[in-house]
Amino acid sequence: MKEIQLHDKKFVPYIDKESIDNAVKKLAGEIKDYAQNEPVVFIVVLKGSYIFAADLAKHYSGEAVFEFYRLKSYEGTGSTGEVKIIVDIDDELVKGKKLIVLEDIVDTGNTLEKIIEELQAKQPESLKIATLFYKPEAYKKDYPIDFIGMEIPNKFIVGYGLDYDELGRNLPEVYRLKENRMIDLILFGPPGAGKGTQAQILKDKLGLTYIATGDLFRHHIKNKTDLGVKAQAYIDRGDLVPDEITIDMIKEIIADPDARGFIFDGFPRTVKQAEVLDQLMADKDLIIDALLSINVPEERLIKRLLERGKTSGRSDDNEETIKHRLDQYHTKTEPVKDYYKAQGKLYEIDGVGSIDEVNQRILDVISNIKLREK
Ligand code: IMP
Ligand code: MG
């Protein structure tokens, strides 16, 4: 499975055949348990449910009749809110029967509401709803859904009967819409350069995911995780936390499929880490677009860090550790700049000025960066 194109949009693999198959089998079993030995009428909602209904039929061992109902509500990748019946079902086919509606997907619930209204008017004995996919975040109705194959986040999907403007229904697995790529960047500079402050603002303004190794360490240390206990000893000495510890923490975050557009702060700190980061990103089909280096003269840095030490309560903001951290920065971390410079990704930013001034310089630089396609 790999990326595909339907009309103007790209889609990426999302749910494999086996997971779909398991969900369908589970539903068939649950419906059979509910029906006991009584016959049911499956109302197949077209077009989307045709593959789902066919597969469910193969796994359904009880007595069942299949009727087909055709509705339309979606245009492109959004619900229109208005649901039309295109092919209806005769009243006598459902009157007094045990109905099970087979939906491919329940999104806002508009379609479902319309189906329920229409079918109730035909006076069935009972009416239950089964859907293969369900988007709880999008669902706006109160009507309970009796059988759910799989809950999914509020993303647009295609395949296994579901379409994007009629294409994609015949894909045997499910793909999801590929979102526009967001910038992935490294905020770089010596301790005290204002990386954290700037990253926080960028995160809010651009909707990026902020990964600050300092915060990660403090979080792990505070919660006394295994990684945290190990990291503590190094930080107390003003030493760099070993790569494996940092990398494990970073991996965890990049793995989150909903986290996008990363700002790295405090990582990579060594060329070796930079190489690992490039690989981790490549594994997820991502790429670092830029390293923004915030430049501040050394005397100012020391002054700023001592100030921060008075209020931050950070164990590492004292003169001795500050000097040590700056030394480490020059010897181990600065080469990272050259590493990304060689890739044509280095952008230098003057870090002297107010927070807003520096932020504006960063935004100007970002707006001129052309995102790379991996
Ligand atoms: P609802 O009325 O908003 O619940 O949407 C239900 C109908 O919209 C479904 O029967 C589908 O035809 C379509 N739909 C909803 N979400 C998706 C999706 O992610 N991909 C493709 N079609 C969808
Ligand atoms: Mg449908």
Side-chain angles (χ1 to χ4, degrees), residues 92-363:
E92 61 270 26
L93 292 172
V94 301
K95 190 166 180 180
K97 302 278 168 60
K98 254 188 171 35
L99 303 189
I100 314 272
V101 171
L102 292 184
E103 262 287 24
D104 47 349
I105 190 161
V106 174
D107 185 333
T108 62
N110 285 333
T111 311
L112 191 62
E113 184 173 61
K114 175 83 170 170
I115 293 169
I116 290 164
E117 263 171 34
E118 297 283 329
L119 290 176
Q120 292 288 22
K122 297 176 195 284
Q123 300 178 316
E125 181 203 300
S126 60
L127 176 59
K128 295 280 171 189
I129 311 297
T131 186
L132 178 55
F133 300 113
Y134 171 54
K135 299 179 185 171
E137 295 155 22
Y139 192 57
K140 293 205 286 272
K141 311 289 174 184
D142 299 321
Y143 200 90
I145 299 166
D146 306 285
F147 307 101
I148 295 170
M150 205 185 283
E151 290 195 358
I152 60 166
N154 195 4
K155 311 248 181 212
F156 186 78
I157 59 172
V158 293
Y160 199 75
L162 292 155
D163 70 307
Y164 166 50
D165 278 346
E166 295 307 322
L167 291 186
R169 294 197 196 274
N170 55 327
L171 296 162
E173 56 278 295
V174 167
Y175 290 70
R176 75 158 205 231
L177 184 65
K178 185 178 180 180
E179 280 128 7
N180 289 336
R181 189 144 131 39
M182 289 171 93
I183 193 164
D184 290 304
L185 44 91
I186 297 166
L187 216 48
F188 193 81
K195 301 188 295 290
T197 310
Q198 293 299 335
Q200 197 63 48
I201 302 173
L202 293 177
K203 170 186 171 237
D204 295 339
K205 283 193 179 162
L206 305 177
L208 299 170
T209 302
Y210 178 34
I211 305 186
T213 40
D215 289 347
L216 276 182
F217 294 149
R218 282 185 285 277
H219 169 83
H220 280 270
I221 288 168
K222 193 168 152 238
N223 293 299
K224 296 199 165 52
T225 66
D226 290 352
L227 290 169
V229 171
K230 284 186 208 156
Q232 175 76 70
Y234 294 92
I235 291 179
D236 284 349
R237 291 196 298 269
D239 278 330
L240 291 173
V241 175
D243 284 354
E244 313 83 71
I245 299 178
T246 315
I247 289 161
D248 281 350
M249 294 180 185
I250 304 267
K251 249 193 201 160
E252 223 174 81
I253 299 189
I254 301 186
D256 177 357
D258 291 322
R260 317 170 46 229
F262 298 112
I263 310 177
F264 292 96
D265 166 6
F267 184 89
R269 277 187 197 224
T270 59
V271 170
K272 198 183 141 229
Q273 283 187 359
E275 287 163 359
V276 174
L277 178 63
D278 280 356
Q279 191 54 52
L280 288 179
M281 295 290 280
D283 291 345
K284 294 277 158 200
D285 256 342
L286 298 167
I287 190 163
I288 294 292
D289 296 292
L291 178 143
L292 308 183
S293 174
I294 306 181
N295 304 324
V296 177
E298 189 122 349
E299 329 77 69
R300 266 180 194 263
L301 289 174
I302 296 173
K303 225 177 108 201
R304 280 191 195 176
L305 287 168
L306 287 172
E307 281 298 313
R308 187 172 74 178
K310 287 184 200 153
T311 53
S312 70
R314 280 175 53 157
S315 60
D316 54 347
D317 283 342
N318 61 70
E319 187 143 10
E320 202 183 320
T321 31
I322 289 169
K323 289 236 165 78
H324 185 57
R325 279 157 68 203
L326 285 172
D327 280 349
Q328 296 248 343
Y329 173 77
H330 291 308
T331 53
K332 294 188 184 163
T333 307
E334 261 192 325
V336 172
K337 243 164 102 163
D338 296 326
Y339 173 84
Y340 283 103
K341 188 178 182 183
Q343 296 184 18
K345 297 177 181 174
L346 170 65
Y347 298 84
E348 307 259 13
I349 287 151
D350 176 5
V352 180
S354 71
I355 290 173
D356 286 344
E357 279 164 353
V358 176
N359 191 249
Q360 195 51 55
R361 286 175 204 146
I362 296 176
L363 287 173

Side-chain angles (χ1 to χ4, degrees), residues 16-32:
D16 62 19
K17 283 186 210 166
E18 197 189 338
S19 312
I20 299 171
D21 204 40
N22 289 337
V24 174
K25 279 187 195 147
K26 184 193 81 169
L27 282 174
E30 286 174 6
I31 297 169
K32 181 66 185 36

Side-chain angles (χ1 to χ4, degrees), residues 46-60:
L46 295 176
K47 294 181 186 175
S49 295
Y50 76 118
I51 297 185
F52 165 45
D55 281 348
L56 183 118
K58 290 185 245 171
H59 296 296
Y60 192 77

